[in-house]
Amino acid sequence: MEVNFSEPRAKGGRAPDVFTPGGWESMREYAQTDEVDFLIVGAGAGGATLGCRLAEKGFSIVILDAGPFWRPLDDFASDELAQQILYWTDDRIVGGNDPISLGGNNSGRGVGGSTVHFSMIALRFRPEWFKSRSKLDYGFDWPISYEEIAPYYEEAEEALKVAGPVNYPWGPPRRRYPYRPHEVNAAGLVLARGAEKLGVEWAATPLATVSAPRGKSPPCVYRGFCNYGCSTNAKQSALTVWIPRALRAGAEVRDLAMAGRIEIDSRGRVAGVLYFREGVWRFQRARNVVVAGYAIETPRLLLNSACALFSDGLANSSGLVGTHLTTHAGPGAWATFDEEIRWYKGPPNMAVTEHWNYADEGKDFVGGYAFMSQGPLPMAWAQTLATSRGLWGQALREEMWKYNHMAGFVPVAETEPRRENRVELANETDQFGLRIPKVLFSYSENDKRLQRHAVRFMSDVLDAAGGHDIWVNYKDTSHLLGTCRMGDDPRESVVDADGRSWDIPNLWICDGSLFPTCGGVNPSLTIQALACRAAERISRLAAAGEI
């Protein structure tokens, strides 16, 4: 497969129709001299959702994304290696005691962002996590409550047509999921069998891939390539859900448009964004700018936009831009089974237990974790064996013969938000002449205790399910969050509860960098719920003349 990274697809009054091979749909275009209501940097879970909802409310919207405008039916191959193009693999420097591996698990480059290759897991935060300092004595309180975000969780679940069980065991009472749950595969039934023997609840994982036809999306056919781009459009990503709606509502999407700098006028307000497209730097005027580049690119852009008025970077009077980076630790537990499992069949995470997200007794740590059944494809599994166990050559080949008999679990394990874990600017520059990010991360002692607990418990579940030759690994992570946290106090946060900068009233943030704490579930549903809420709040503020 060959993708042209130098020729944008969305231009000339049209954008790719993601549901038609080679097809197009009309797109409104704005002149760069037009002062649009909102210029959004990033077309992932936060930016695409917010752009869609604001356009539907009548605002003029331009969305920039550094990557291509994907055509899933044309571009996505059943090829683990070729599909690495979906990840953000530009130069970055990592450091700290536990450097985070950057790439497939935690980034996306292109319209739709990382939702193009996410696992589709659509879980809500535990309600108490929104007030974790007050109610659970760790981390930070969010400036909003679960009750405030619950309607927007429902809005996002409905938009994504999440397929989940009628009675999900955890969390407060809620409306049923829009689509019926997917049939759990053999790898998921291993989790179910082990959990039931230990007296722990489990459930079919709520997934944003349709279990029945939805418009031009066919039901999932369980190819198993979900983490490498869904070539059938069963997956309900930002690319297939929010972007088409945004275009229909009048938004413009500019692909292959790398934002380099947010410009500030003499009043100290945002004037627009300087971005690189088609070989030249361009400038788009805007009344408001929303940064939605996720936990690395968002602080990077704010810091790279330092100017005479804001010498430490934009929105950074608190000194917190880039700090309190969190990730989800992902140690694994694996076992061999006598029967065939064939864990590659179906979405990779079809069963889940959130037991340790909701149980507060019997822990030697604060925080929580969920864990899910796994379905790595052959190349990914060989990489795990090579990097975790040092297997190579004949030893690796022999271990790979067990592939169809393997099962295992990986948690989404919470880590503590700590100031020393951060994104800062390195002195080195990239192909655009922009300073690249330096990402520093170290686990706390609590993080390590949590992971040890997780691997012990997951191993017990595998053993109870009949697995043997159980082994564990500790190296993986997923999801990057924090770095521009929201809050009630300008001294202790970067933005307010709406994602609005304390320092610059027409500068906003809408992505996972807002999270004060990261919880023990995948973040994309919460990011989209926050974006839906932000759109509603912005609309009300505009109506009140406060924007």
Side-chain angles (χ1 to χ4, degrees):
M1 178 174 57
E2 185 173 344
V3 176
N4 186 339
F5 284 98
S6 62
E7 279 296 322
R9 286 170 164 167
K11 62 179 185 178
R14 65 180 192 177
D17 176 356
V18 297
F19 292 102
T20 305
W24 299 96
E25 58 182 299
S26 62
M27 179 180 73
R28 180 170 181 176
E29 286 188 303
Y30 293 92
Q32 293 182 96
T33 52
D34 291 340
E35 188 178 44
V36 297
D37 291 329
F38 285 87
L39 175 59
I40 299 174
V41 180
T49 306
L50 181 65
C52 169
R53 295 297 293 121
L54 289 178
E56 290 176 339
K57 292 176 181 296
F59 294 98
S60 56
I61 303 295
V62 170
I63 306 174
L64 307 180
D65 198 279
F69 200 131
W70 302 111
R71 292 181 179 275
L73 302 180
D74 298 319
D75 296 336
F76 296 169
S78 299
D79 185 323
E80 288 180 79
L81 184 59
Q83 289 301 112
Q84 306 292 313
I85 58 172
L86 299 178
Y87 312 143
W88 192 299
T89 54
D90 282 5
D91 286 342
R92 290 162 164 175
I93 295 173
V94 296
N97 295 331
D98 304 287
I100 295 174
S101 178
L102 303 177
N105 265 2
N106 47 32
S107 72
R109 188 187 185 95
V111 176
S114 57
T115 68
V116 172
H117 60 83
F118 78 149
S119 297
M120 309 166 301
I121 297 168
L123 299 175
R124 298 186 183 191
F125 263 39
R126 176 181 169 178
E128 290 86 348
W129 289 343
F130 291 95
K131 302 295 175 188
S132 64
R133 170 54 60 186
S134 300
K135 295 187 176 181
L136 300 170
D137 199 26
Y138 75 93
F140 300 98
D141 285 351
W142 290 48
I144 58 174
S145 66
Y146 176 82
E147 289 70 24
E148 289 175 278
I149 199 172
Y152 304 101
Y153 270 133
E154 190 169 307
E155 180 180 349
E157 289 166 347
E158 181 62 30
L160 301 174
K161 299 299 182 189
V162 173
V166 173
N167 297 306
Y168 190 68
W170 300 281
R174 41 164 300 147
R175 202 172 73 170
R176 66 179 296 175
Y177 288 104
Y179 273 38
R180 64 170 175 76
H182 292 276
E183 195 76 19
V184 176
N185 64 0
L189 293 177
V190 167
L191 188 152
R193 188 164 69 237
E196 288 173 359
K197 286 193 176 180
L198 295 182
V200 171
E201 288 191 291
W202 70 278
T205 310
L207 296 173
T209 183
V210 287
S211 55
R214 186 233 180 147
K216 295 181 179 178
S217 288
C220 179
V221 292
Y222 308 124
R223 295 172 58 254
F225 275 84
C226 318
N227 293 147
Y228 303 92
C230 177
S231 65
T232 70
N233 278 334
K235 172 182 283 189
Q236 304 298 286
S237 66
L239 175 66
T240 62
V241 173
W242 298 110
I243 289 295
R245 279 177 54 179
L247 293 173
R248 287 195 295 272
E252 178 186 353
V253 177
R254 296 180 189 164
D255 56 335
L256 295 175
M258 178 66 189
R261 183 178 180 82
I262 301 169
E263 295 290 356
I264 301 296
D265 66 19
S266 59
R267 302 170 301 159
R269 294 174 65 92
V270 163
V273 172
L274 189 68
Y275 67 100
F276 190 86
R277 197 185 198 209
E278 296 186 284
V280 297
W281 286 99
R282 304 166 187 271
F283 181 73
Q284 176 64 54
R285 299 177 67 223
R287 295 184 184 88
N288 295 271
V289 168
V290 182
V291 188
Y294 209 29
I296 293 179
E297 291 303 316
T298 287
R300 181 194 182 196
L301 179 58
L302 296 175
L303 295 174
N304 265 328
S305 300
C307 60
L309 284 174
F310 301 102
S311 58
D312 294 326
L314 305 187
N316 199 24
S317 63
S318 64
L320 292 173
V321 169
T323 68
H324 296 87
L325 170 70
T326 58
T327 186
H328 284 130
W334 315 95
T336 307
F337 287 79
D338 292 334
E339 72 272 26
E340 280 195 347
I341 303 297
R342 294 188 180 273
W343 54 358
Y344 57 88
K345 289 182 175 290
N349 314 110
M350 299 200 75
V352 59
T353 177
E354 285 201 65
H355 176 80
W356 291 108
N357 274 340
Y358 284 82
D360 293 320
E361 302 298 325
K363 292 178 174 177
D364 62 349
F365 58 88
V366 296
Y369 64 88
F371 67 87
M372 299 85 176
S373 57
Q374 299 295 306
L377 295 183
M379 194 184 89
W381 182 236
Q383 183 176 354
T384 297
L385 293 173
T387 56
S388 298
R389 299 176 59 183
L391 299 181
W392 196 250
Q394 186 61 27
L396 178 59
R397 290 187 63 184
E398 291 176 359
E399 191 65 24
M400 285 298 291
W401 281 113
K402 301 176 184 175
Y403 177 72
N404 286 339
H405 290 262
M406 297 298 299
F409 311 133
V410 170
V412 177
E414 188 169 7
T415 58
E416 292 186 294
R418 299 190 303 149
R419 188 172 184 130
E420 57 265 42
N421 291 330
R422 65 190 184 275
V423 177
E424 58 188 29
L425 295 180
N427 291 325
E428 293 84 350
T429 57
D430 64 8
Q431 66 272 35
F432 303 103
L434 303 171
R435 293 175 69 185
I436 65 174
K438 183 177 182 180
V439 182
L440 303 172
F441 185 82
S442 303
Y443 286 122
S444 70
E445 289 304 313
N446 184 78
D447 298 339
K448 295 174 183 176
R449 287 195 298 274
L450 187 154
Q451 291 181 71
R452 288 194 291 269
H453 186 283
V455 297
R456 281 198 305 270
F457 190 76
M458 294 187 302
S459 299
D460 289 345
V461 173
L462 285 169
D463 181 63
H468 54 83
D469 299 331
I470 296 169
W471 58 277
V472 303
N473 66 322
Y474 276 92
K475 295 294 185 183
D476 284 347
T477 62
S478 60
H479 316 126
L480 300 172
L481 300 158
T483 71
C484 291
R485 72 177 190 221
M486 60 199 314
D488 290 318
D489 185 345
R491 298 166 302 178
E492 300 294 334
S493 56
V494 175
V495 296
D496 67 12
D498 301 327
R500 189 176 198 173
S501 163
W502 294 111
D503 302 341
I504 305 172
N506 62 339
L507 176 62
W508 310 71
I509 295 173
C510 185
D511 58 26
S513 69
L514 295 173
F515 285 32
T517 55
C518 68
V521 297
N522 308 57
S524 64
L525 186 71
T526 299
I527 295 172
Q528 290 169 81
L530 284 174
C532 291
R533 179 184 178 278
E536 185 64 29
R537 288 285 304 150
I538 287 170
S539 180
R540 293 181 188 176
L541 290 169
E546 298 178 24
I547 291 180

